[in-house]
């Protein structure tokens, strides 16, 4: 796109399908490049999973509640010479997460290295002294896995082959748990520092250690909460789309994408309407697109995502939203209760696919930071 003149760029029409955070960001970045952009969303509001439920004065965020790379949101406003801080506040959390273990001990994973090491010394002085070595290993992975490769499309086998030396150097053949266990010995702390893949549906005992880069990502930028909730962030991004001139169409559910000569010729919605553009961005589930939406005579593309081994989905979640008529000030913003079993429990979930009685639990209490989530002297969970 860089080789196209400013005059020609304005003629390019782009359609983004799906108004989650990825779709919103894609639409804004294309608009900043000078494209004429249309964003198609099948619901009556943007945000994707980040929807908001309001009931009896309580507010509940259904989507993500942790922000660990605020600069990605800042960039979207800066593209149009605006400041994100003028519209939505990202408040730093401390502690980031509070762990409750089966033996009654607690561990605050905190905003500073010093606080975290003090907490670690309750379990192991040796582990506390070794924590910064774990961070150094995480930074090495981050410098390649995030800085150099995060924006690269791994859709070429030969491109992937070229990354092998760097990935081997990072010991990507280790799992997250194996990498953490090299530096941490206490079983409770091992569990606490291995949970990051679970945030994206991965088993730390089988997920590549590349995901350990999240340790450094958190240390580098922090962990934040969007005041007003994720819904407030979506609302402000929706307004930014409008101010920037992106055409957002709601209640448009795309059922067919017709390909011709290697390009998407047109899109068809559930209600029989057709759309066409120079560029199509699909911000959804790739296997769903290739299996159900893409209409093509190219057998390879039709079968590209069909092999089950290439599309192993993570487990689903059951989320309970509730409010209380009193406040529980001793409960942190993010709390994780870990049962006696860790590896065995995850094996039951990921491999055996059975529902165990000794499950672990994550609780989000936004009212610890933002009182707007519940009536006075109440809590939202």
């Amino acid at each position: 796109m860089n080789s196209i003149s400013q005059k020609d760029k304005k003629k390019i029409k782009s359609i983004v399908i799906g108004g989650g955070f990825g779709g919103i960001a894609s639409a804004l970045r294309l608009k900043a490049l000078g494209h004429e952009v249309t964003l198609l969303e099948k619901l009556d509001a943007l945000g994707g999973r980040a929807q908001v439920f309001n009931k009896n004065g309580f507010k509940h965020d259904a989507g993500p509640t942790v922000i660990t790379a605020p600069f990605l949101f800042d960039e979207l406003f800066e593209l149009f010479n605006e400041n994100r801080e003028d519209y939505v506040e990202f408040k730093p959390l401390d502690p980031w997460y509070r762990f409750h273990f089966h033996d009654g001990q607690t561990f605050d994973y905190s905003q500073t290295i010093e606080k975290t090491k003090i907490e670690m010394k309750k379990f192991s002085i040796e582990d506390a002294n070794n924590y910064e070595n774990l961070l150094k290993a995480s930074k090495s992975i981050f410098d390649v896995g995030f800085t150099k490769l995060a924006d690269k499309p791994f859709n070429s086998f030969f491109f992937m082959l070229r990354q092998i030396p760097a990935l081997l150097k990072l010991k990507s053949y280790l799992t997250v748990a194996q990498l953490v266990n090299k530096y941490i010995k206490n079983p409770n702390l091992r569990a606490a520092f291995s949970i990051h893949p679970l945030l994206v549906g991965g088993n730390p005992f089988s997920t590549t250690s590349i995901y350990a880069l999240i340790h450094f990502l958190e240390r580098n930028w922090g962990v934040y909460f969007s005041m007003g909730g994720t819904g407030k962030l979506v609302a402000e991004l929706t307004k930014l789309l409008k101010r920037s001139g992106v055409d957002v169409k709601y209640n448009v559910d795309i059922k067919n994408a017709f390909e011709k000569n290697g390009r998407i010729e047109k899109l068809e919605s559930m209600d029989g309407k057709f759309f066409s553009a120079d560029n199509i961005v699909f911000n959804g589930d790739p296997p769903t697109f290739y299996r159900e939406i893409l209409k093509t005579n190219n057998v390879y593309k039709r079968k590209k995502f069909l092999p089950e081994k290439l599309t192993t989905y993570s487990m689903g979640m059951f989320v309970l939203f509730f409010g209380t008529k009193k406040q529980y000030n001793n409960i942190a913003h993010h709390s994780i209760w870990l049962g006696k079993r860790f590896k065995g429990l995850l094996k039951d979930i990921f491999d055996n696919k059975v529902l165990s009685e000794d499950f672990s639990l994550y609780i989000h209490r936004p009212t610890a930071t933002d009182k707007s989530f519940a009536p006075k002297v109440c809590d939202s969970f």
Side-chain angles (χ1 to χ4, degrees):
M1 295 179 186
N2 293 336
S3 62
I4 301 173
S5 69
Q6 189 66 31
K7 181 180 179 181
D8 290 335
K9 279 197 297 186
K10 293 180 180 179
K11 298 176 183 178
I12 299 175
K13 292 185 178 181
S14 294
I15 288 179
V16 179
I17 304 169
F21 283 121
I24 292 171
S26 297
L28 288 169
R29 291 182 182 279
L30 286 167
K31 187 65 182 180
L33 285 171
H35 293 212
E36 182 182 322
V37 184
T38 300
L39 176 58
L40 305 178
E41 168 56 46
K42 69 178 181 180
L43 302 178
D44 57 7
L46 298 182
R49 295 185 185 91
Q51 301 298 314
V52 179
F53 305 116
N54 292 284
K55 189 170 184 180
N56 301 329
F58 293 89
K59 181 165 56 179
H60 303 293
D61 265 337
T65 58
V66 178
I67 294 173
T68 53
F71 70 93
L72 292 173
F73 291 103
D74 295 345
E75 285 177 0
L76 298 179
F77 286 87
E78 290 166 2
L79 288 171
F80 303 94
N81 299 314
E82 298 188 24
N83 295 312
R84 185 266 308 161
E85 297 92 336
D86 295 337
Y87 300 97
V88 59
E89 177 188 359
F90 289 171
K91 191 164 185 176
L93 299 181
D94 196 25
W96 290 342
Y97 311 101
R98 176 169 293 159
F99 290 88
H100 299 259
F101 300 105
H102 69 281
D103 56 10
Q105 291 183 294
T106 61
F107 168 58
D108 281 0
Y109 188 28
S110 298
Q111 193 178 64
T112 67
I113 293 175
E114 291 73 22
K115 278 186 179 181
T116 299
K117 289 173 70 172
I118 289 171
E119 286 285 302
M120 292 179 71
K121 286 178 180 177
K122 297 189 306 186
F123 300 85
S124 168
I125 293 176
E126 180 186 358
D127 286 351
N129 292 335
N130 232 1
Y131 176 60
E132 290 187 59
N133 290 327
L134 173 61
L135 279 181
K136 287 178 183 177
S138 175
K139 183 181 185 304
S140 297
I141 297 171
F142 176 91
D143 288 341
V144 175
F146 189 92
T147 305
K148 295 182 180 178
L149 298 179
D151 61 344
K152 299 295 186 292
F154 278 74
N155 55 4
S156 165
F157 177 72
F158 296 104
F159 175 81
M160 293 175 69
L161 281 180
R162 290 200 298 271
Q163 311 313 314
I164 288 177
L167 296 176
L168 288 176
K169 187 178 180 181
L170 296 175
K171 295 183 172 60
S172 61
Y173 51 84
L174 296 177
T175 66
V176 168
Q178 287 172 332
L179 183 75
V180 170
N181 292 354
K182 286 182 62 179
Y183 302 94
I184 306 297
K185 305 304 178 187
N186 179 272
N188 284 345
L189 293 179
R190 280 181 166 182
F193 287 113
S194 297
I195 65 151
H196 291 101
L198 291 167
L199 302 177
V200 290
N203 183 350
F205 292 96
S206 58
T207 301
T208 170
S209 60
I210 291 174
Y211 279 87
L213 64 82
I214 299 175
H215 283 292
F216 181 75
L217 186 144
E218 289 176 332
R219 282 286 164 222
N220 202 36
W221 284 291
V223 175
Y224 298 84
F225 181 70
S226 174
M227 296 299 285
T230 315
K232 166 69 172 173
L233 178 57
V234 172
E236 293 303 336
L237 287 171
T238 301
K239 293 176 185 175
L240 178 60
L241 286 164
K242 186 175 182 180
R243 290 196 300 273
S244 65
V246 173
D247 182 18
V248 181
K249 297 184 183 297
Y250 298 98
N251 302 303
V252 178
D253 192 359
I254 297 299
K255 69 174 181 178
N256 293 316
F258 299 96
E259 184 190 57
K260 185 177 181 181
N261 298 325
R263 295 184 63 84
I264 302 297
E265 184 182 33
K266 60 182 177 180
L267 303 167
E268 182 185 11
S269 63
M270 287 291 186
D271 58 1
K273 293 180 181 177
F274 290 91
F275 304 86
S276 61
D278 302 299
N279 297 309
I280 306 291
V281 177
F282 183 76
N283 181 55
D285 183 42
T288 298
F289 180 81
Y290 280 93
R291 289 171 177 164
E292 301 176 21
I293 298 175
L294 180 63
K295 306 303 181 219
T296 177
N297 292 322
N298 187 317
V299 177
Y300 169 71
K301 286 188 176 179
R302 271 211 312 270
K303 293 185 176 180
K304 188 174 182 180
F305 283 95
L306 286 178
E308 290 300 322
K309 289 183 179 179
L310 297 181
T311 53
T312 302
Y313 289 95
S314 64
M315 86 297 283
M317 281 199 307
F318 182 86
V319 183
L320 175 67
F321 299 98
F322 63 96
T324 59
K325 294 181 179 179
K326 59 175 288 186
Q327 289 181 323
Y328 295 85
N329 294 319
N330 60 325
I331 304 297
H333 190 113
H334 295 295
S335 296
I336 300 172
W337 271 266
L338 292 176
K340 187 174 183 178
R341 293 193 309 149
F342 185 60
K343 186 174 183 178
L345 175 63
L346 295 179
K347 185 174 180 62
D348 278 348
I349 293 172
F350 286 92
D351 300 332
N352 301 331
K353 295 179 172 35
V354 296
L355 183 62
S356 303
E357 293 184 1
D358 60 334
F359 59 86
S360 293
L361 188 67
Y362 160 70
I363 286 189
H364 177 228
R365 177 180 171 245
T367 35
T369 304
D370 188 342
K371 302 300 182 187
S372 72
F373 272 71
K376 288 185 178 179
V377 300
C378 295
D379 264 336
S380 171
F381 291 92

